[in-house]
Amino acid sequence: MTELWQQLLNQWQLQTALELIATVLALSYTVLAIRHSLWCWPAALASTVLTLQIMLSANLYTDALLQLYYAGMALYGWWNWQQLRNQSGQAQQVVEWRGSQHLLLISLTAVAGLCLGFLMQQYTSTDFAWLGAQISCFAVVTTYLVAKKVVSNWLYWIVIDAASIYMYLQKDLYFFSALFVIYTLTAASGYFAWRSNYRQQQLNNASGICVSG
């Protein structure tokens, strides 16, 4: 009996340590992304590897699948930000989408989330199938918006992070819950910082507004 308790304690300590390290790396990613640092992507990749193991242990399979996508996007983000900086000569070059583009993106992503939620509910034992599916689908498209440097990505993250706080609290992932509280606040900060960069670009480029199609 003592040996069993010791094994459980060791497992809990390892899980908590991994969660803490992943949390620090994920927070570093957000702060570096706000500052337009390329090093945000290596931090994201390292955090993703650790988080994948945690999500599998917590029986959150949609989140585990999401981590695989994040790993690929970390590599793509590193490459794309380098290309954008080489093309514009500015590390802080950002773009914005039209309202109609965002509306279409939100509608399609919500439908995809419903489809994924149904599949996860019917064919897996994952917890929070519907909520997790919506969070995952929106996180997928929002990570792409970050890689493309679309200003409004931060508004998407505010909603995603707030929903994630509830889900992680229910799974007793307290470090992640605290992380997403901080994420919600830093996402708001990131939006204002990137919007300021975008407005400055407009002032510096009177010949045209930088809008991405």
Side-chain angles (χ1 to χ4, degrees), residues 13 23 26 35 46 53 69 79 87 105 115 142 189 213:
Q13 290 175 333
T23 297
R35 297 174 62 85
Q53 180 177 343
Y69 168 78
W79 175 82
Q87 291 170 8
L105 180 65
C115 294
T142 306
S189 175

Side-chain angles (χ1 to χ4, degrees), residues 62-103:
T62 52
D63 272 42
L65 290 174
L66 184 60
Q67 301 312 309
L68 297 177
Y69 168 78
Y70 281 159
M73 286 304 299
L75 299 175
Y76 172 75
W78 171 273
W79 175 82
N80 192 57
W81 279 30
Q82 282 186 318
Q83 297 301 309
L84 291 173
R85 184 170 63 178
N86 292 337
Q87 291 170 8
S88 67
Q90 301 179 34
Q92 295 184 342
Q93 190 82 7
V94 294
V95 299
E96 184 56 294
W97 284 5
R98 300 178 182 86
S100 59
Q101 291 175 292
H102 285 294
L103 181 60

Side-chain angles (χ1 to χ4, degrees), residues 3-14:
E3 183 178 352
L4 175 61
W5 278 110
Q6 186 61 46
Q7 290 177 349
L8 291 175
L9 178 60
N10 291 339
Q11 183 177 2
W12 179 84
Q13 290 175 333
L14 176 60

Side-chain angles (χ1 to χ4, degrees), residues 6 10 27 48 52 60 66 97 99 169:
Q6 186 61 46
N10 291 339
L27 183 58
T48 293
L52 174 62
L60 293 171
L66 184 60
W97 284 5
L169 281 174

